[in-house]
């Protein structure tokens, strides 16, 4: 059986959990790790809870890779946390797939989170959404897709989010037209 590492990434409010449900429906055997789900199991609700949940998620993923187990997880991809882990997985013979989903604006992301909360889902502070939105896009286009590591990467857009030539600039780096947070 081939080992798989599946990463469902995107800014808050983009539809990562929904995408994960759809993509992973046929992979019933594949454990799925989500820091938001872990946080629900920790008493209290604070940034400290989110940090603890994130650490627990990283521990679970590292454990799976150590044990040569397949795993899937969800992330905003707003930092470099996963660069080294992806490299280690590729070196260990994992089939790594990175699916990135996004909406066209931070305002749309905030609106979708507000709608999710009204439907009983979890909230994300607006300042987190503002801070993570452009960082998530920038990290996907500039770090993860530009990686010298060969692994499948896909962009799934809720609306058009492909950077224009103007946004890519002369150095072909994605720079958001607006800075948030």
């Amino acid at each position: 059986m081939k080992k798989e590492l599946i990463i469902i990434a995107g800014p808050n409010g983009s539809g990562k959990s929904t995408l994960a449900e759809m993509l992973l429906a046929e992979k019933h055997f594949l454990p799925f790790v989500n820091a938001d789900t872990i946080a629900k199991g920790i008493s209290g609700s604070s940034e400290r809870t989110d940090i603890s949940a994130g650490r627990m998620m990283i521990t679970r993923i590292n454990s799976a890779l150590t044990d040569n187990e397949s795993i899937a997880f969800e992330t905003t991809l707003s930092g470099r946390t996963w660069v080294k882990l992806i490299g280690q997985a590729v070196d260990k013979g994992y089939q790594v797939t990175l699916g990135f989903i996004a909406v066209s604006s931070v305002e749309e992301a905030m609106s979708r989170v507000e709608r999710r909360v009204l439907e009983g889902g979890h909230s994300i502070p607006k300042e987190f959404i503002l801070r993570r939105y452009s960082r998530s896009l920038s990290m996907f286009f500039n770090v993860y897709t530009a990686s010298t590591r060969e692994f499948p990467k896909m962009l799934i857009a809720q609306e058009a989010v492909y950077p224009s030539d103007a946004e890519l600039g002369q150095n072909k780096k994605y720079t958001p037209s607006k800075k948030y947070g």
Side-chain angles (χ1 to χ4, degrees):
M1 179 192 286
K2 67 181 175 198
K3 302 177 290 190
E4 291 184 83
L5 175 64
I6 299 176
I7 305 162
I8 309 297
N12 297 110
S14 60
K16 294 182 299 294
S17 296
T18 303
L19 176 63
E21 286 176 23
M22 291 176 2
L23 289 178
L24 300 176
E26 64 194 46
K27 298 179 180 289
H28 298 289
F29 66 91
L30 195 64
F32 178 66
V33 184
N34 177 341
D36 295 328
T37 303
I38 294 170
K40 286 180 191 175
I42 301 172
S43 62
S45 179
S46 67
E47 190 169 351
R48 192 175 305 147
T49 301
D50 293 342
I51 291 169
S52 295
R55 286 184 179 146
M56 292 170 78
M57 181 176 116
I58 291 169
T59 298
R60 174 63 185 102
I61 295 165
N62 283 328
S63 176
L65 294 180
T66 298
D67 295 340
N68 290 308
E69 297 172 351
S70 293
I71 193 161
F73 67 93
E74 160 181 324
T75 175
T76 59
L77 210 69
S78 61
R80 295 182 179 270
T81 303
W82 308 113
V83 173
K84 183 177 177 182
L85 182 133
I86 289 170
Q88 291 170 340
V90 169
D91 289 346
K92 290 185 78 168
Y94 275 78
Q95 176 182 325
V96 177
T97 303
L98 170 59
F100 187 86
I101 185 168
V103 293
S104 63
S105 71
V106 71
E107 293 82 12
E108 177 66 14
M110 288 190 289
S111 173
R112 289 172 55 88
V113 170
E114 287 173 10
R115 203 169 30 239
R116 176 175 69 204
V117 170
L118 290 174
E119 294 170 359
H122 67 283
S123 180
I124 303 287
K126 285 187 178 187
E127 62 270 18
F128 288 17
I129 298 169
L130 288 167
R131 183 177 69 229
R132 293 174 180 162
Y133 180 82
S134 59
R135 285 181 57 194
S136 182
L137 290 170
S138 181
M139 292 301 293
F140 177 72
F141 287 112
N142 296 335
V143 175
Y144 290 92
T145 60
S147 169
T148 58
R149 297 298 201 156
E150 288 302 317
F151 61 92
K153 303 151 190 126
M154 61 186 141
L155 174 65
I156 302 157
Q158 297 277 23
E159 298 175 35
V161 293
Y162 296 94
S164 67
D165 287 340
E167 288 173 310
L168 286 173
Q170 290 181 324
N171 62 1
K172 296 298 181 200
K173 291 277 189 182
Y174 172 71
T175 305
S177 54
K178 289 185 188 175
K179 288 287 184 188
Y180 302 101

